Amino acid sequence: MRVEPQQLRSFLLDAGMLSAEKFEQAQATAEKKKKTVEDILIEDGLISEEKIIKLSAYILGIPFVDLEKETIPPDLLKMIPEPIARAHNIIAFRKKGQDLEVAMIDPEDLRTIEFIKKTTSLRILPRLTSQASIKNVLRQYQRTLEAEFGDIIKKEAGGIKQIKDEETFDDKSDLQKIAEELPIIRIVDTLMKHAILQRTSDIHIEPTEKEVLVRYRIDGILRDAMVLPKIASQGIVARIKVLSNLKLDEHRLPQDGRFKIESDDYKYSIRVSILPVFDGEKIVMRLLSETTKALTLEQLGLRSKQLEDLQDALRKPVGILLVTGPTGSGKTTTLYSMMEILNSPGVNISTIEDPIEYRMPRVNQAQVNTKIGMTFASGLRSLLRQDPNIIMVGEIRDNETASLAINASLTGHLVLSTLHTNSAAGSLPRLIDMKIEPFLIASTLNCILAQRLVRKLCDEKEKYLLKETEIKNIGKYCDLEKTLDILKKEKIAKTADKWTTIPFYRPKPSKDNPDGYSGRIGIYEVLPANETIKNLIIEQATSDQIEEQAKKEGMTTMFEDGFVKAALGLTSIEEVMRVIID
């Protein structure tokens, strides 16, 4: 809900909070940027968001409530389902008799108010609140979910026990019954929902001798999530096998499958891997959001010369562009961002992937299926007959796929793909190991990008200055003088600054982020294939020789890029060290 600009102007001027001149300037900027005056006033730091909201509440005659430090009772919180609360920024926070007070960003959202009125059979009293208040209460849904999970275990343990009286279940019909038992369904559903709320990329369900350990990989780090009773083990495995359409009575061989889950709030494709271990069957599930949009290269963390070199490589109509790094370093996400840039009505983009992580409009995406002979090599061979301009190969794993990719780039196609190597320069000996002739690599290669993902520091972080011993240790991994020059060019450091005067940041743990990190960003090194590098490839120079030459020509290494991002306060030096050196 917004007040009329003139009303806002009158109140701000009368209260002496703003001059007429500054308000007129803000109004002109708002019209130019197609934003509200309130947005511009907040962006320019002329007035805080909280003051704007309180002032709007006063003008409109609607009470303002601050819920930033409030804890809402679970029973009251559940009166508005979490998806509705998130989608419409509305929270139930107080109930008196037949009156239900709800905090909202937009009290004029009459459709949502009417919906809640019908579902609760109560009179709804809208109150105006801030985005920070809504955010605080939405986090409480997660804690409510944890309590709910504990209740399921307590209430349903007896039901699971009755199912599990026998020692093993080898009969398919028995396993089917277990998978369809309500306690097991509730446990699996709650486990999945809990993982999605915490932005989990992988769920590990690990049987031990006496219990089942569940761990979530969040921002690249595995964390203990919960411990389940051993009696639930076979039921959970059976349930996930049913969802993934796998063999229920196969306990001795690994199995791979997939299934989908969706709601009004999210849509995920789940890739399942089941491995027989000593105490049962271990399950790992990869969660792939189908609603995630490709990020821009800038949002991924590419900047300055790195960004320019990569954009130059993408402008070339033919050749091969490689993204390298270990498993889980975000290579596929980078490829999708590149395809988003290249995707236009004038080109045909075809991919062969394992798995298809994101769906992209106007892109022909094919899924690897080794069981029926659909490999990267056979899929790529078929793609070449589909009249593509751009081909994306999920991964180059063997000589056949590498040869086909090189030949495709020689015959008028732009090829994007990934390799598992530790550095950009390390990709070149790897291709030679795959029996690719050096002159073919030199004639087709456009660019190599190597990357890692580091955790981002939260907004609240601790500032500190480096000690001489820490600077000396960092000097083992990067050129201190060159990195200082980069910091000066980026205007992070002043001309006269030394290492001991540049502030860096450490994580500051909080209730919501116990380790002080939230989200991830990439650190990169981009190696463009210029004439000097191509000559070294033909001469079969070592990766060290190629990297040394690239540094002389201005390549920023991953460590140096990570160091710049640490100086910007995006991550910490310890995190950069962890992903590159440890």
Side-chain angles (χ1 to χ4, degrees), residues 358-371:
Y358 311 114
R359 296 293 302 277
M360 294 191 74
R362 305 183 69 94
V363 174
N364 309 289
Q365 297 172 270
Q367 170 73 49
V368 165
N369 188 341
T370 53
K371 292 177 182 177

Side-chain angles (χ1 to χ4, degrees), residues 35-164:
K35 292 185 176 182
T36 64
V37 182
E38 294 97 314
D39 289 338
I40 300 301
L41 292 173
I42 294 166
E43 283 178 15
D44 292 348
L46 296 173
I47 190 168
S48 68
E49 182 184 7
E50 186 179 348
K51 282 185 179 178
I52 282 282
I53 295 170
K54 286 182 177 178
L55 190 58
S56 299
Y58 177 76
I59 294 171
L60 297 165
I62 298 172
F64 173 83
V65 291
D66 183 0
L67 302 176
E68 280 196 60
K69 297 180 180 179
E70 294 292 321
T71 301
I72 312 299
D75 291 344
L76 186 55
L77 201 62
K78 288 180 183 177
M79 295 191 79
I80 297 178
E82 185 184 354
I84 301 294
R86 287 184 179 277
H88 299 279
N89 288 312
I90 182 168
I91 298 293
F93 69 95
R94 188 179 296 133
K95 181 179 178 292
K96 291 181 180 178
Q98 292 300 302
D99 292 341
L100 180 67
E101 292 186 63
V102 296
M104 306 179 70
I105 298 294
D106 180 11
E108 281 189 338
D109 186 357
L110 301 178
R111 182 179 292 182
T112 302
I113 291 171
E114 189 62 30
F115 171 79
I116 295 168
K117 182 180 177 181
K118 286 180 180 178
T119 55
T120 61
S121 300
L122 297 171
R123 189 168 69 133
I124 307 302
L125 304 177
R127 305 290 184 249
L128 198 60
T129 194
S130 65
Q131 192 66 55
S133 289
I134 294 286
K135 189 176 179 181
N136 169 57
V137 180
L138 286 176
R139 282 195 291 263
Q140 295 177 35
Y141 276 97
Q142 183 175 316
R143 293 193 283 273
T144 303
L145 180 62
E146 292 171 0
E148 179 186 333
F149 199 95
D151 289 343
I152 291 173
I153 297 299
K154 289 176 185 176
K155 291 177 182 177
E156 308 290 2
I160 299 170
K161 183 70 176 176
Q162 290 173 359
I163 299 166
K164 194 81 174 64

Side-chain angles (χ1 to χ4, degrees), residues 55 92 145 191 293 299 356 416 428 438 456 482 498 532:
L55 190 58
L145 180 62
L191 189 149
K293 293 182 180 178
Q299 287 171 328
I356 296 172
L416 312 176
L428 302 167
K456 290 172 68 176
K482 176 189 169 186
K498 297 180 180 180
T532 314

Side-chain angles (χ1 to χ4, degrees), residues 348-350 383-391 412-414:
N348 173 19
I349 302 179
S350 297
L383 290 187
L384 291 170
R385 295 192 286 269
Q386 289 283 311
D387 185 33
N389 300 99
I390 299 164
I391 298 170
H413 305 92
L414 179 63

Side-chain angles (χ1 to χ4, degrees), residues 149-299:
F149 199 95
D151 289 343
I152 291 173
I153 297 299
K154 289 176 185 176
K155 291 177 182 177
E156 308 290 2
I160 299 170
K161 183 70 176 176
Q162 290 173 359
I163 299 166
K164 194 81 174 64
D165 283 337
E166 298 177 33
E167 288 186 5
T168 59
F169 289 90
D170 293 320
D171 187 84
K172 189 174 181 179
S173 61
D174 287 340
L175 290 165
Q176 187 80 38
K177 287 177 185 176
I178 296 174
E180 292 172 358
E181 287 290 334
L182 185 60
I184 292 297
I185 292 173
R186 288 190 67 196
I187 286 173
V188 173
D189 288 352
T190 307
L191 189 149
M192 298 296 297
K193 182 181 177 184
H194 195 20
I196 289 169
L197 283 176
Q198 293 197 52
R199 299 175 292 104
T200 300
S201 62
D202 300 86
I203 303 173
H204 290 239
I205 303 173
E206 304 169 344
T208 63
E209 184 181 358
K210 296 180 180 178
E211 57 196 15
V212 178
L213 176 64
V214 179
R215 297 195 288 171
Y216 292 156
R217 188 176 294 279
I218 302 169
D219 294 337
I221 305 294
L222 265 177
R223 308 174 189 189
D224 289 354
M226 58 197 76
V227 176
L228 303 176
K230 183 72 172 180
I231 54 174
S233 179
Q234 277 201 329
I236 292 169
V237 172
R239 177 64 185 163
I240 292 170
K241 283 183 178 179
V242 167
L243 291 172
S244 311
N245 199 26
L246 299 176
K247 294 180 180 178
L248 279 170
D249 51 354
E250 177 57 76
H251 308 292
R252 297 171 299 172
L253 295 173
Q255 295 190 73
D256 296 320
R258 60 193 307 129
F259 64 93
K260 291 186 178 184
I261 56 172
E262 60 181 289
S263 71
D264 294 337
D265 228 20
Y266 53 76
K267 186 176 181 181
Y268 277 82
S269 177
I270 314 296
R271 188 176 67 184
V272 178
S273 173
I274 300 180
L275 178 72
V277 294
F278 187 80
D279 290 303
E281 293 176 89
K282 179 186 174 182
I283 300 173
V284 176
M285 294 186 283
R286 169 67 57 88
L287 279 62
L288 305 168
S289 174
E290 294 192 356
T291 56
T292 302
K293 293 182 180 178
L295 300 172
T296 65
L297 296 177
E298 292 87 346
Q299 287 171 328

Side-chain angles (χ1 to χ4, degrees), residues 33 68 74 155 211 223 247 253 280 310 351 379 382 463 470 575:
K33 292 186 176 182
E68 280 196 60
K155 291 177 182 177
E211 57 196 15
R223 308 174 189 189
K247 294 180 180 178
L253 295 173
L310 188 57
T351 75
S382 297
K463 186 186 287 189
E470 292 172 312
E575 180 67 6

